[in-house]
Coordinates of all heavy atoms in Angstrom, one line a residue:
A21 N 0.9 -1.2 0.0 CA 0.0 0.0 0.0 C 0.8 1.3 0.0 O 2.1 1.2 0.4 CB -0.9 0.0 1.2
I22 N 0.3 2.4 -0.5 CA 1.0 3.6 -0.5 C 1.3 4.1 1.0 O 0.6 3.8 1.9 CB 0.1 4.7 -1.2 CG1 1.0 6.0 -1.3 CG2 -1.2 5.0 -0.4 CD1 0.3 7.1 -2.2
D23 N 2.5 4.6 1.1 CA 3.1 5.0 2.4 C 2.4 6.4 2.8 O 2.5 7.4 2.1 CB 4.6 5.2 2.3 CG 5.2 5.9 3.6 OD1 4.4 6.0 4.6 OD2 6.3 6.2 3.6
P24 N 1.5 6.4 3.8 CA 0.8 7.6 4.2 C 1.8 8.8 4.7 O 1.4 9.9 4.7 CB -0.1 7.2 5.3 CG 0.4 5.9 5.8 CD 1.2 5.3 4.7
Q25 N 3.0 8.4 4.9 CA 4.0 9.4 5.4 C 4.9 9.7 4.3 O 6.1 10.1 4.5 CB 4.8 8.7 6.5 CG 4.0 8.2 7.7 CD 3.2 9.3 8.4 OE1 3.6 10.4 8.5 NE2 2.0 9.0 8.8
F26 N 4.5 9.6 3.0 CA 5.3 9.8 1.9 C 6.0 11.2 1.8 O 7.1 11.4 1.4 CB 4.6 9.5 0.6 CG 3.6 10.5 0.2 CD1 3.9 11.5 -0.6 CD2 2.3 10.3 0.6 CE1 2.9 12.5 -1.0 CE2 1.3 11.2 0.2 CZ 1.7 12.3 -0.6
T27 N 5.3 12.2 2.3 CA 5.9 13.6 2.3 C 7.0 13.7 3.2 O 7.9 14.5 3.0 CB 4.9 14.7 2.6 OG1 4.3 14.5 3.9 CG2 3.7 14.7 1.6
E28 N 7.2 12.9 4.2 CA 8.3 12.9 5.1 C 9.4 11.8 4.6 O 10.6 12.1 4.8 CB 7.9 12.4 6.5 CG 7.2 13.5 7.2 CD 6.2 13.0 8.3 OE1 6.6 12.0 9.0 OE2 5.0 13.5 8.4
N29 N 9.0 10.8 4.0 CA 9.9 9.7 3.7 C 10.4 9.8 2.3 O 11.4 9.1 1.9 CB 9.2 8.3 3.8 CG 8.8 8.1 5.3 OD1 9.4 8.7 6.2 ND2 7.8 7.2 5.5
R30 N 9.9 10.7 1.5 CA 10.3 10.8 0.1 C 10.7 12.3 -0.2 O 10.3 13.2 0.5 CB 9.3 10.4 -0.9 CG 9.0 8.9 -0.9 CD 7.8 8.6 -1.8 NE 7.5 7.1 -1.8 CZ 7.5 6.4 -2.9 NH1 7.7 7.0 -4.1 NH2 7.2 5.1 -2.8
D31 N 11.4 12.5 -1.3 CA 11.8 13.8 -1.8 C 10.9 14.2 -2.9 O 10.7 13.4 -3.9 CB 13.2 13.9 -2.1 CG 14.2 13.8 -0.9 OD1 13.8 14.3 0.1 OD2 15.2 13.1 -1.0
K32 N 10.6 15.5 -3.0 CA 9.8 16.0 -4.2 C 10.9 16.2 -5.3 O 11.9 16.9 -5.1 CB 9.2 17.3 -3.9 CG 8.3 17.9 -4.9 CD 7.6 19.1 -4.3 CE 7.0 20.0 -5.4 NZ 6.4 21.2 -4.8
V33 N 10.8 15.4 -6.4 CA 11.8 15.4 -7.4 C 11.4 16.1 -8.8 O 12.2 16.3 -9.6 CB 12.3 14.0 -7.7 CG1 12.9 13.4 -6.4 CG2 11.2 13.1 -8.2
D34 N 10.1 16.3 -8.9 CA 9.6 16.8 -10.2 C 8.2 17.4 -10.0 O 7.6 17.3 -9.0 CB 9.6 15.7 -11.3 CG 9.6 16.2 -12.7 OD1 9.7 17.4 -12.9 OD2 9.7 15.3 -13.6
E35 N 7.7 18.0 -11.1 CA 6.3 18.4 -11.2 C 5.7 17.8 -12.5 O 6.5 17.6 -13.4 CB 6.1 19.9 -11.3 CG 6.7 20.5 -9.9 CD 5.7 21.7 -9.5 OE1 4.9 22.2 -10.3 OE2 5.9 22.1 -8.3
H36 N 4.4 17.6 -12.4 CA 3.7 17.0 -13.6 C 2.3 17.4 -13.5 O 1.6 17.3 -12.5 CB 3.8 15.5 -13.5 CG 3.1 14.7 -14.6 ND1 2.0 14.0 -14.3 CD2 3.3 14.7 -15.9 CE1 1.5 13.5 -15.5 NE2 2.2 13.9 -16.5
N37 N 1.8 18.0 -14.6 CA 0.3 18.4 -14.7 C -0.1 19.3 -13.4 O -1.2 19.2 -13.0 CB -0.6 17.1 -14.7 CG -0.9 16.7 -16.1 OD1 -0.6 17.5 -17.0 ND2 -1.4 15.5 -16.2
G38 N 0.9 20.1 -12.9 CA 0.6 21.0 -11.9 C 0.7 20.4 -10.5 O 0.3 21.1 -9.5
H39 N 1.1 19.2 -10.4 CA 1.3 18.6 -9.1 C 2.6 18.0 -8.9 O 3.4 17.9 -9.8 CB 0.3 17.5 -8.8 CG 0.1 16.5 -9.8 ND1 -0.9 16.3 -10.7 CD2 1.1 15.4 -10.2 CE1 -0.7 15.4 -11.5 NE2 0.5 14.8 -11.3
A40 N 3.0 17.7 -7.5 CA 4.4 17.2 -7.3 C 4.5 15.8 -7.7 O 3.6 15.0 -7.7 CB 4.5 17.4 -5.8
V41 N 5.8 15.4 -7.9 CA 6.2 14.0 -8.1 C 7.2 13.7 -6.9 O 8.2 14.4 -6.8 CB 6.8 13.7 -9.5 CG1 7.2 12.2 -9.6 CG2 5.8 14.0 -10.6
W42 N 6.9 12.6 -6.1 CA 7.8 12.3 -5.0 C 8.5 11.0 -5.5 O 8.0 10.0 -5.8 CB 6.9 12.0 -3.8 CG 6.0 13.2 -3.4 CD1 4.8 13.5 -4.0 CD2 6.3 14.2 -2.5 NE1 4.4 14.7 -3.3 CE2 5.2 15.1 -2.4 CE3 7.4 14.4 -1.6 CZ2 5.3 16.2 -1.6 CZ3 7.4 15.5 -0.8 CH2 6.3 16.3 -0.7
G43 N 9.8 11.2 -5.4 CA 10.7 10.1 -5.8 C 10.9 8.9 -4.9 O 10.2 8.9 -3.8
P44 N 11.7 7.9 -5.2 CA 12.6 7.9 -6.3 C 11.9 7.7 -7.7 O 10.9 7.0 -7.7 CB 13.6 6.8 -6.0 CG 12.9 5.9 -5.1 CD 11.9 6.8 -4.3
V45 N 12.5 8.2 -8.7 CA 12.0 8.0 -10.1 C 13.1 7.6 -10.9 O 14.2 8.2 -10.9 CB 11.4 9.3 -10.7 CG1 11.1 9.2 -12.2 CG2 10.1 9.8 -10.0
D46 N 12.9 6.5 -11.6 CA 13.8 6.0 -12.6 C 13.1 5.3 -13.8 O 12.8 4.2 -13.8 CB 14.8 4.9 -11.9 CG 15.9 4.3 -12.8 OD1 16.2 5.0 -13.8 OD2 16.5 3.4 -12.4
E47 N 12.7 6.2 -14.7 CA 11.8 5.8 -15.8 C 12.5 4.8 -16.7 O 13.7 4.9 -16.9 CB 11.4 7.1 -16.6 CG 10.5 8.0 -15.8 CD 10.1 9.3 -16.5 OE1 10.4 9.4 -17.8 OE2 9.6 10.2 -15.9
P48 N 11.7 3.9 -17.3 CA 10.3 3.8 -17.2 C 9.8 2.8 -16.0 O 8.6 2.7 -15.8 CB 9.9 3.2 -18.5 CG 11.0 2.2 -18.8 CD 12.2 2.9 -18.3
E49 N 10.7 2.2 -15.3 CA 10.3 1.1 -14.3 C 9.9 1.7 -13.1 O 9.1 1.1 -12.3 CB 11.5 0.2 -14.1 CG 11.9 -0.6 -15.2 CD 13.0 0.1 -16.1 OE1 13.4 1.2 -15.7 OE2 13.4 -0.5 -17.1
E50 N 10.4 2.9 -12.6 CA 10.1 3.4 -11.3 C 9.6 4.8 -11.5 O 10.3 5.7 -12.0 CB 11.4 3.4 -10.4 CG 11.1 3.6 -9.0 CD 12.4 3.4 -8.1 OE1 13.5 3.6 -8.6 OE2 12.3 3.0 -6.9
L51 N 8.3 5.1 -11.1 CA 7.7 6.4 -11.4 C 7.4 7.2 -10.2 O 6.9 8.4 -10.4 CB 6.4 6.1 -12.2 CG 6.7 5.3 -13.5 CD1 5.3 5.0 -14.2 CD2 7.6 6.2 -14.4
G52 N 7.4 6.7 -8.9 CA 7.2 7.5 -7.8 C 5.7 7.7 -7.6 O 4.9 7.0 -8.1
I53 N 5.4 8.7 -6.7 CA 4.1 9.1 -6.3 C 3.7 10.4 -6.9 O 4.5 11.4 -6.8 CB 4.0 9.2 -4.7 CG1 4.1 7.8 -4.1 CG2 2.7 9.9 -4.3 CD1 4.2 7.8 -2.6
H54 N 2.6 10.5 -7.5 CA 2.1 11.8 -8.1 C 0.9 12.3 -7.3 O 0.0 11.7 -6.9 CB 1.5 11.5 -9.5 CG 2.5 11.3 -10.6 ND1 2.5 12.0 -11.8 CD2 3.6 10.5 -10.6 CE1 3.6 11.6 -12.5 NE2 4.2 10.7 -11.8
G55 N 1.2 13.7 -7.0 CA 0.2 14.4 -6.3 C 0.5 14.5 -4.7 O 1.4 13.7 -4.3
T56 N -0.1 15.3 -4.0 CA 0.1 15.5 -2.6 C -1.2 15.4 -1.8 O -1.3 14.5 -0.9 CB 0.8 16.8 -2.3 OG1 2.0 16.9 -3.1 CG2 1.2 17.0 -0.8
H57 N -2.1 16.2 -2.1 CA -3.5 16.1 -1.4 C -4.1 14.8 -1.8 O -4.6 14.1 -1.0 CB -4.4 17.3 -1.6 CG -5.7 17.1 -0.9 ND1 -5.8 17.2 0.4 CD2 -6.9 16.8 -1.4 CE1 -7.1 16.9 0.7 NE2 -7.8 16.7 -0.3
V58 N -4.1 14.6 -3.1 CA -4.5 13.3 -3.6 C -3.3 12.7 -4.3 O -2.7 13.2 -5.3 CB -5.7 13.4 -4.7 CG1 -6.0 12.0 -5.3 CG2 -6.9 14.1 -4.2
A59 N -2.8 11.6 -3.7 CA -1.5 11.0 -4.0 C -1.7 9.6 -4.5 O -2.4 8.8 -4.0 CB -0.6 10.9 -2.8
V60 N -1.2 9.3 -5.8 CA -1.3 8.0 -6.4 C 0.1 7.4 -6.5 O 1.0 8.1 -7.2 CB -2.0 8.1 -7.7 CG1 -2.0 6.7 -8.4 CG2 -3.4 8.6 -7.7
D61 N 0.3 6.3 -5.9 CA 1.6 5.6 -6.1 C 1.7 4.9 -7.4 O 1.1 3.8 -7.6 CB 1.9 4.6 -4.9 CG 3.3 4.1 -4.8 OD1 3.9 4.0 -6.0 OD2 3.8 3.8 -3.7
F62 N 2.3 5.5 -8.4 CA 2.3 5.0 -9.8 C 3.0 3.6 -9.8 O 2.8 2.8 -10.7 CB 3.1 5.9 -10.7 CG 2.2 7.0 -11.3 CD1 1.0 7.4 -10.7 CD2 2.5 7.6 -12.5 CE1 0.2 8.4 -11.2 CE2 1.8 8.6 -13.1 CZ 0.6 9.1 -12.4
D63 N 3.8 3.3 -8.9 CA 4.5 2.0 -8.9 C 3.6 0.9 -8.3 O 3.9 -0.3 -8.5 CB 5.9 2.1 -8.1 CG 6.8 3.0 -8.8 OD1 7.0 2.8 -10.0 OD2 7.3 4.0 -8.2
L64 N 2.5 1.2 -7.7 CA 1.5 0.3 -7.3 C 0.3 0.2 -8.2 O -0.3 -0.9 -8.3 CB 1.0 0.6 -5.8 CG 2.1 0.6 -4.8 CD1 1.4 1.1 -3.5 CD2 2.7 -0.7 -4.5
C65 N -0.1 1.3 -8.8 CA -1.3 1.3 -9.7 C -1.2 0.2 -10.8 O -0.2 0.2 -11.5 CB -1.4 2.7 -10.3 SG -2.7 2.9 -11.4
I66 N -2.3 -0.5 -10.9 CA -2.4 -1.5 -12.0 C -3.4 -1.1 -13.0 O -3.9 -2.0 -13.8 CB -2.7 -2.9 -11.3 CG1 -4.1 -2.8 -10.5 CG2 -1.6 -3.4 -10.5 CD1 -4.6 -4.2 -10.0
A67 N -3.8 0.2 -13.0 CA -4.8 0.6 -14.0 C -6.1 0.0 -13.9 O -6.8 -0.3 -14.9 CB -4.2 0.5 -15.4
D68 N -6.5 -0.3 -12.6 CA -7.9 -0.8 -12.5 C -8.9 0.1 -12.9 O -10.0 -0.4 -13.5 CB -8.0 -1.2 -11.0 CG -9.4 -1.6 -10.6 OD1 -9.6 -2.8 -10.7 OD2 -10.3 -0.8 -10.3
G69 N -8.8 1.3 -12.7 CA -9.8 2.4 -13.3 C -10.9 2.6 -12.3 O -11.7 3.6 -12.7
A70 N -11.1 2.0 -11.2 CA -12.2 2.3 -10.3 C -12.2 3.8 -9.8 O -13.2 4.4 -9.6 CB -12.2 1.3 -9.1
C71 N -11.0 4.3 -9.6 CA -10.9 5.6 -9.1 C -11.4 6.6 -10.1 O -12.2 7.5 -9.7 CB -9.4 6.0 -8.7 SG -8.2 5.8 -10.0
L72 N -11.1 6.4 -11.4 CA -11.5 7.3 -12.5 C -13.1 7.2 -12.6 O -13.8 8.2 -12.8 CB -11.0 7.0 -13.8 CG -9.7 7.6 -14.1 CD1 -8.5 6.6 -13.8 CD2 -9.6 8.0 -15.6
E73 N -13.7 6.0 -12.5 CA -15.1 5.8 -12.6 C -15.9 6.3 -11.4 O -16.9 6.9 -11.6 CB -15.4 4.3 -12.7 CG -15.0 3.7 -14.0 CD -15.1 2.2 -14.0 OE1 -15.9 1.6 -13.2 OE2 -14.3 1.5 -14.7
D74 N -15.3 6.3 -10.2 CA -16.1 6.6 -9.1 C -15.9 8.1 -8.5 O -16.8 8.5 -7.7 CB -15.8 5.7 -7.9 CG -16.3 4.3 -8.2 OD1 -16.9 4.1 -9.2 OD2 -16.1 3.4 -7.3
C75 N -14.8 8.7 -8.9 CA -14.6 10.1 -8.3 C -15.7 11.0 -8.8 O -15.9 11.2 -10.0 CB -13.2 10.6 -8.7 SG -12.9 12.3 -8.1
P76 N -16.4 11.6 -7.8 CA -17.6 12.4 -8.2 C -17.2 13.8 -8.9 O -18.0 14.4 -9.5 CB -18.3 12.7 -6.9 CG -17.2 12.5 -5.8 CD -16.3 11.5 -6.4
V77 N -15.9 14.2 -8.8 CA -15.5 15.5 -9.3 C -14.3 15.3 -10.3 O -13.7 16.3 -10.7 CB -15.1 16.4 -8.2 CG1 -16.4 16.9 -7.4 CG2 -14.1 15.9 -7.2
D78 N -14.2 14.1 -10.9 CA -13.3 13.8 -11.9 C -11.9 14.3 -11.7 O -11.3 15.1 -12.5 CB -13.8 14.4 -13.3 CG -15.0 13.7 -13.6 OD1 -15.2 12.5 -13.4 OD2 -15.9 14.3 -14.4
V79 N -11.2 14.0 -10.6 CA -9.9 14.4 -10.3 C -8.9 13.7 -11.1 O -7.9 14.3 -11.5 CB -9.6 14.1 -8.7 CG1 -8.1 14.1 -8.5 CG2 -10.3 15.1 -7.9
F80 N -9.2 12.5 -11.6 CA -8.1 11.6 -12.2 C -8.3 11.6 -13.7 O -9.3 11.8 -14.4 CB -8.3 10.2 -11.8 CG -8.2 10.0 -10.3 CD1 -9.3 9.9 -9.5 CD2 -7.0 10.0 -9.6 CE1 -9.3 9.7 -8.1 CE2 -6.9 9.9 -8.3 CZ -8.1 9.8 -7.4
E81 N -7.1 11.5 -14.4 CA -7.0 11.4 -15.8 C -6.0 10.3 -16.1 O -5.0 10.1 -15.4 CB -6.5 12.6 -16.5 CG -7.5 13.8 -16.5 CD -6.9 15.1 -17.1 OE1 -5.8 15.1 -17.6 OE2 -7.6 16.1 -17.0
W82 N -6.2 9.5 -17.2 CA -5.2 8.5 -17.5 C -4.0 9.2 -18.1 O -4.0 10.1 -18.8 CB -5.7 7.5 -18.6 CG -6.8 6.6 -18.2 CD1 -8.0 6.5 -18.5 CD2 -6.6 5.6 -17.2 NE1 -8.8 5.4 -17.9 CE2 -7.9 4.9 -17.1 CE3 -5.6 5.1 -16.3 CZ2 -8.1 3.8 -16.1 CZ3 -5.8 4.1 -15.5 CH2 -7.1 3.5 -15.4
V83 N -2.8 8.6 -17.7 CA -1.5 9.0 -18.4 C -0.8 7.7 -18.9 O -0.9 6.7 -18.1 CB -0.5 9.8 -17.6 CG1 -1.1 11.2 -17.2 CG2 -0.1 9.1 -16.3
D84 N -0.2 7.7 -20.0 CA 0.4 6.6 -20.5 C 1.8 6.4 -19.8 O 2.6 7.4 -19.7 CB 0.7 6.7 -22.0 CG -0.7 6.6 -22.8 OD1 -1.5 5.9 -22.3 OD2 -0.8 7.3 -23.8
T85 N 2.1 5.2 -19.5 CA 3.4 4.9 -18.8 C 4.0 3.6 -19.4 O 4.1 2.6 -18.8 CB 3.2 4.7 -17.3 OG1 2.3 3.7 -17.0 CG2 2.7 6.0 -16.6
P86 N 4.4 3.7 -20.7 CA 4.8 2.5 -21.4 C 6.1 2.0 -20.8 O 7.0 2.8 -20.4 CB 5.1 2.9 -22.8 CG 5.2 4.5 -22.7 CD 4.3 4.9 -21.6
G87 N 6.2 0.6 -20.5 CA 7.4 0.0 -20.0 C 7.3 -0.1 -18.5 O 8.3 -0.8 -17.9
H88 N 6.3 0.3 -17.8 CA 6.2 0.1 -16.4 C 5.8 -1.3 -16.1 O 4.9 -1.8 -16.8 CB 5.2 1.1 -15.7 CG 5.3 1.0 -14.2 ND1 4.6 0.3 -13.5 CD2 6.2 1.6 -13.4 CE1 4.9 0.4 -12.2 NE2 5.9 1.3 -12.1
P89 N 6.4 -2.0 -15.2 CA 6.1 -3.4 -15.0 C 4.6 -3.7 -14.5 O 4.2 -4.8 -14.8 CB 7.1 -3.8 -13.9 CG 7.7 -2.6 -13.3 CD 7.6 -1.6 -14.4
E90 N 4.0 -2.8 -13.8 CA 2.6 -3.0 -13.3 C 1.6 -2.8 -14.3 O 0.6 -3.5 -14.3 CB 2.4 -2.3 -12.0 CG 3.3 -2.6 -10.8 CD 3.1 -4.1 -10.4 OE1 2.0 -4.7 -10.6 OE2 4.1 -4.7 -9.8
S91 N 1.7 -1.7 -15.1 CA 0.6 -1.3 -16.0 C 1.2 -0.2 -16.9 O 2.0 0.6 -16.5 CB -0.6 -0.8 -15.3 OG -0.4 0.3 -14.5
E92 N 0.7 -0.1 -18.1 CA 1.1 0.8 -19.1 C 0.3 2.2 -19.1 O 0.5 3.0 -20.1 CB 1.1 0.2 -20.5 CG 2.0 -1.1 -20.5 CD 3.0 -1.2 -21.6 OE1 2.5 -0.8 -22.8 OE2 4.2 -1.5 -21.4
E93 N -0.6 2.3 -18.1 CA -1.2 3.6 -17.9 C -1.5 3.7 -16.4 O -1.6 2.7 -15.7 CB -2.5 3.8 -18.7 CG -3.5 2.8 -18.6 CD -4.7 3.0 -19.6 OE1 -4.8 4.1 -20.3 OE2 -5.6 2.1 -19.5
K94 N -1.6 5.0 -15.9 CA -1.8 5.3 -14.5 C -2.8 6.3 -14.4 O -3.1 7.1 -15.3 CB -0.4 5.8 -13.9 CG 0.7 4.9 -14.2 CD 0.7 3.6 -13.4 CE 1.9 2.7 -13.7 NZ 1.8 1.4 -13.1
A95 N -3.5 6.3 -13.2 CA -4.5 7.3 -12.8 C -3.7 8.5 -12.2 O -3.2 8.4 -11.1 CB -5.5 6.7 -11.9
D96 N -3.7 9.6 -13.0 CA -3.0 10.8 -12.6 C -4.0 11.7 -11.9 O -5.0 12.0 -12.4 CB -2.4 11.4 -13.8 CG -1.4 12.4 -13.5 OD1 -0.5 12.2 -12.5 OD2 -1.3 13.5 -14.2
P97 N -3.6 12.2 -10.6 CA -4.5 13.2 -9.9 C -4.4 14.6 -10.5 O -4.0 15.6 -9.8 CB -4.0 13.1 -8.5 CG -2.5 12.8 -8.6 CD -2.4 11.9 -9.9
A98 N -4.9 14.7 -11.8 CA -4.6 16.0 -12.5 C -5.4 17.1 -12.0 O -4.9 18.3 -12.2 CB -5.1 15.7 -13.9
K99 N -6.4 16.9 -11.3 CA -7.3 18.0 -10.7 C -7.4 17.9 -9.2 O -8.5 17.9 -8.7 CB -8.6 18.1 -11.4 CG -8.5 18.4 -12.9 CD -9.9 18.3 -13.6 CE -9.8 18.4 -15.1 NZ -10.8 17.7 -15.8
E100 N -6.3 17.6 -8.5 CA -6.4 17.3 -7.1 C -7.0 18.4 -6.2 O -7.6 18.2 -5.2 CB -5.0 16.9 -6.6 CG -4.0 17.9 -6.4 CD -2.8 17.5 -5.7 OE1 -2.7 16.4 -5.1 OE2 -1.8 18.2 -5.8
A101 N -6.9 19.6 -6.8 CA -7.5 20.7 -6.0 C -9.0 20.7 -6.0 O -9.6 21.3 -5.1 CB -7.0 22.1 -6.7
Q102 N -9.6 19.9 -6.9 CA -11.1 19.8 -6.9 C -11.6 18.7 -5.9 O -12.8 18.6 -5.7 CB -11.6 19.4 -8.3 CG -11.3 20.4 -9.3 CD -11.9 20.0 -10.7 OE1 -12.7 19.1 -10.8 NE2 -11.6 20.8 -11.7
C103 N -10.7 18.0 -5.3 CA -11.1 16.9 -4.4 C -11.9 17.4 -3.2 O -11.7 18.5 -2.6 CB -9.8 16.2 -3.9 SG -10.1 15.0 -2.7
I104 N -13.0 16.6 -3.0 CA -14.0 17.0 -1.9 C -13.8 16.0 -0.7 O -14.7 16.0 0.2 CB -15.4 17.1 -2.4 CG1 -15.8 15.7 -3.1 CG2 -15.6 18.2 -3.4 CD1 -17.3 15.6 -3.3
D105 N -12.7 15.2 -0.7 CA -12.4 14.4 0.4 C -13.5 13.3 0.7 O -13.7 13.0 1.9 CB -12.1 15.2 1.7 CG -11.0 16.1 1.5 OD1 -10.2 15.9 0.6 OD2 -10.9 17.0 2.4
C106 N -14.1 12.8 -0.3 CA -15.2 11.8 -0.1 C -14.6 10.4 0.3 O -15.3 9.6 0.8 CB -16.0 11.7 -1.3 SG -15.3 10.9 -2.7
M107 N -13.3 10.2 -0.1 CA -12.5 9.0 0.2 C -13.0 7.8 -0.6 O -12.5 6.6 -0.4 CB -12.6 8.7 1.6 CG -12.1 9.7 2.6 SD -10.5 10.5 2.2 CE -9.4 9.5 3.1
L108 N -13.8 7.9 -1.6 CA -14.2 6.8 -2.4 C -13.1 6.2 -3.2 O -12.9 5.0 -3.2 CB -15.2 7.3 -3.5 CG -16.7 7.1 -3.2 CD1 -17.5 7.7 -4.3 CD2 -17.0 5.6 -3.0
C109 N -12.2 7.0 -3.7 CA -11.1 6.4 -4.5 C -10.1 5.6 -3.6 O -9.7 4.5 -4.0 CB -10.3 7.5 -5.2 SG -9.6 8.7 -4.0
V110 N -10.0 6.0 -2.4 CA -9.2 5.3 -1.4 C -9.8 3.9 -1.2 O -9.1 2.9 -1.1 CB -9.0 6.1 -0.1 CG1 -8.3 5.3 1.0 CG2 -8.2 7.4 -0.4
D111 N -11.1 3.9 -1.0 CA -11.8 2.7 -0.6 C -11.8 1.7 -1.8 O -11.9 0.5 -1.6 CB -13.2 3.0 -0.3 CG -13.3 3.8 1.1 OD1 -12.3 3.6 1.9 OD2 -14.3 4.4 1.4
V112 N -11.9 2.1 -3.1 CA -12.2 1.2 -4.2 C -10.9 0.7 -4.8 O -10.9 -0.2 -5.6 CB -13.1 1.9 -5.3 CG1 -14.5 2.1 -4.8 CG2 -12.4 3.1 -5.9
C113 N -9.8 1.4 -4.6 CA -8.5 1.0 -5.3 C -8.1 -0.4 -4.8 O -7.9 -0.6 -3.5 CB -7.5 1.9 -5.1 SG -5.9 1.3 -5.8
P114 N -8.0 -1.4 -5.7 CA -7.8 -2.8 -5.2 C -6.4 -3.0 -4.7 O -6.1 -4.0 -4.0 CB -8.0 -3.6 -6.5 CG -7.8 -2.7 -7.6 CD -8.2 -1.3 -7.1
V115 N -5.5 -2.1 -5.0 CA -4.0 -2.2 -4.5 C -3.6 -1.2 -3.6 O -2.4 -1.0 -3.3 CB -3.1 -2.4 -5.8 CG1 -3.2 -3.6 -6.5 CG2 -3.3 -1.2 -6.6
D116 N -4.6 -0.4 -3.0 CA -4.4 0.7 -2.0 C -3.2 1.6 -2.5 O -2.3 1.9 -1.8 CB -3.9 0.1 -0.7 CG -5.1 -0.6 0.0 OD1 -6.3 -0.2 -0.3 OD2 -5.0 -1.6 0.7
A117 N -3.4 2.0 -3.8 CA -2.4 2.9 -4.4 C -2.6 4.4 -4.1 O -1.8 5.2 -4.3 CB -2.3 2.7 -5.9
I118 N -3.7 4.8 -3.5 CA -4.1 6.1 -3.3 C -4.2 6.5 -1.9 O -4.7 5.8 -1.0 CB -5.5 6.4 -4.0 CG1 -5.6 5.9 -5.4 CG2 -5.9 7.9 -3.8 CD1 -6.9 6.1 -6.0
D119 N -3.7 7.8 -1.5 CA -3.8 8.3 -0.3 C -4.4 9.7 -0.4 O -3.9 10.6 -1.3 CB -2.5 8.4 0.4 CG -2.5 9.1 1.8 OD1 -3.0 8.4 2.7 OD2 -2.0 10.2 2.0
V120 N -5.4 10.0 0.4 CA -6.1 11.4 0.4 C -5.9 11.9 1.8 O -6.3 11.3 2.7 CB -7.6 11.3 -0.1 CG1 -8.2 12.7 0.1 CG2 -7.7 10.9 -1.5
D121 N -5.2 13.1 1.9 CA -5.0 13.7 3.1 C -6.2 14.6 3.4 O -6.2 15.8 3.0 CB -3.7 14.5 3.1 CG -3.4 15.2 4.4 OD1 -4.2 14.9 5.4 OD2 -2.6 16.0 4.5
A122 N -7.2 14.0 4.1 CA -8.4 14.8 4.4 C -8.3 15.6 5.7 O -9.3 16.3 6.1 CB -9.6 13.8 4.5
G123 N -7.1 15.6 6.3 CA -6.9 16.3 7.6 C -6.9 17.8 7.2 O -7.3 18.6 8.0
Ligands
SF4_10 FE1 -12.3 12.1 -5.9 FE2 -13.2 11.6 -3.5 FE3 -10.9 10.5 -4.2 FE4 -11.1 13.2 -3.8 S1 -11.4 11.5 -2.3 S2 -10.1 12.3 -5.5 S3 -13.2 13.6 -4.6 S4 -12.9 10.1 -5.2
F3S11 FE1 -4.8 2.6 -10.3 FE2 -6.1 2.0 -8.1 FE3 -7.1 3.8 -9.8 S1 -5.1 0.6 -9.5 S2 -6.4 3.2 -11.8 S3 -5.2 4.0 -8.6 S4 -8.3 2.3 -8.6
ZN12 ZN1 1.0 13.3 -12.5

């Protein structure tokens, strides 16, 4: 599962679509965590798609990640600022790849 303490345990190494990327990143095999308020561990995501289907405010968008060992697309928290903290995505992800800091 995604580390809920990732902002302490990882370094911000990049930006993507207006959000932070938390390393380590070593493309294409290692992609890190995308987002901060809504964070998706790209190295865990298997492109199940439940988060995209269920988010009531369409926070997520697919991004292509060719060559990643788990899946060749990922749910990117492209509109994390719109999140209403409903926690649905956290509940439905089968691999616990998402952390939402509702605090
Ligand atoms: Fe969308 Fe709710 Fe997840 Fe926020 S917590 S990203 S609103 S499903
Ligand atoms: Fe990926 Fe989990 Fe969404 S596997 S596509 S973050 S439901
Ligand atoms: Zn991203």
Side-chain angles (χ1 to χ4, degrees):
I22 186 171
D23 175 8
Q25 306 299 323
F26 71 90
T27 58
E28 288 153 42
N29 295 335
R30 293 176 178 236
D31 294 322
K32 188 174 162 180
V33 296
D34 203 355
E35 294 222 347
H36 177 245
N37 270 346
H39 52 253
V41 179
W42 302 85
V45 170
D46 184 13
E47 295 178 8
E49 295 90 0
E50 194 171 29
L51 300 174
I53 290 176
H54 282 232
T56 304
H57 179 71
V58 180
V60 179
D61 192 328
F62 274 23
D63 295 309
L64 298 177
C65 175
I66 57 170
D68 176 84
C71 57
L72 276 96
E73 284 169 28
D74 289 2
C75 178
V77 291
D78 295 330
V79 163
F80 303 99
E81 288 176 7
W82 289 120
V83 296
D84 292 328
T85 58
H88 190 268
E90 296 298 336
S91 59
E92 302 225 318
E93 53 184 357
K94 307 292 178 183
D96 195 39
K99 298 175 192 152
E100 70 174 352
Q102 295 184 9
C103 175
I104 58 170
D105 298 345
C106 73
M107 306 309 270
L108 262 177
C109 59
V110 173
D111 290 341
V112 297
C113 178
V115 291
D116 290 330
I118 307 175
D119 181 67
V120 174
D121 178 12

